[in-house]
Amino acid sequence: MQCPKCTHADTKVLDTRLGKNNLSIRRRRQCLGCGYRFTTIEEILREGLVVVKRNGVREEFDRAKMLAGIRRAAEKRPIEAEQIEMMIVEIIDELEREHGSEIPSESIGEHIMRRLKEIDQIAYVRFASVYKDFRDIEELAQEISDLKIVQ
């Protein structure tokens, strides 16, 4: 495993734990070059997952797209990278259980919004504003108002 700080090729594993719901393995590592400590998450590589878009087009599931969308929404928010990684692992597992190998894109967005709403309401509003494609400021204001009611 390459160090994310100095790119040294050798690291040692300090601690290994099962992730939430036993869906992944979390490893705490230390670089043998610079001593930097970091965490990696190992999960099952899911092959053959297909996303069915709203217009019926099918495309290969891309975890990186999911990660990028969540990271944009969570930018400068107090959400740890590890928390995002664990959320993605759990969401993918739920989606696969619910839909099998063909996952509707709407379901992906709904699962992400539900999780972000629980974790950080600002990140939720950011994600929802893109996902729901609000037509005007009143729709956005209504969504924020609904968040206040739920609390």
Side-chain angles (χ1 to χ4, degrees), residues 7-8 29 38 52 72 92 111 119 128 131 146:
T7 68
H8 189 72
R29 297 176 179 268
F38 60 100
V52 181
R72 272 192 304 272
I92 293 171
H111 277 264
I119 294 171
Y131 176 75
D146 291 347

Side-chain angles (χ1 to χ4, degrees), residues 8-135:
H8 189 72
D10 293 324
T11 63
K12 68 178 179 180
V13 175
L14 302 174
D15 182 40
T16 299
R17 296 182 186 181
L18 284 175
K20 288 184 180 177
N21 301 328
N22 298 330
L23 301 174
S24 62
I25 296 174
R26 179 184 163 273
R27 298 190 196 282
R28 191 74 181 141
R29 297 176 179 268
Q30 183 173 16
C31 175
L32 296 177
C34 69
Y36 181 70
R37 291 181 178 205
F38 60 100
T39 302
T40 59
I41 297 176
E42 180 181 320
E43 66 178 284
I44 296 170
L45 182 60
R46 296 170 186 343
E47 296 178 16
L49 290 182
V50 175
V51 175
V52 181
K53 300 286 200 167
R54 291 178 182 161
N55 62 5
V57 172
R58 287 171 162 66
E59 68 179 46
E60 188 176 330
F61 177 81
D62 186 352
R63 184 185 191 282
K65 280 185 180 180
M66 192 174 173
L67 177 61
I70 295 170
R71 278 188 177 160
R72 272 192 304 272
E75 190 175 0
K76 296 184 181 179
R77 298 299 305 154
I79 302 172
E80 295 179 20
E82 185 178 333
Q83 192 175 13
I84 292 172
E85 288 292 334
M86 293 304 296
M87 180 173 65
I88 289 173
V89 169
E90 292 168 4
I91 289 172
I92 293 171
D93 188 59
E94 289 171 11
L95 290 167
E96 197 171 20
R97 269 198 319 270
E98 287 175 23
H99 302 286
S101 62
E102 291 197 356
I103 303 167
S105 61
E106 300 88 19
S107 188
I108 296 170
E110 295 296 327
H111 277 264
I112 292 170
M113 284 193 305
R114 189 183 82 241
R115 291 298 185 92
L116 285 176
K117 188 184 269 189
E118 295 168 1
I119 294 171
D120 186 283
Q121 292 181 346
I122 299 297
Y124 164 77
V125 170
R126 288 177 179 171
F127 188 88
S129 69
V130 173
Y131 176 75
K132 290 187 175 185
D133 193 25
F134 296 122
R135 289 185 300 263

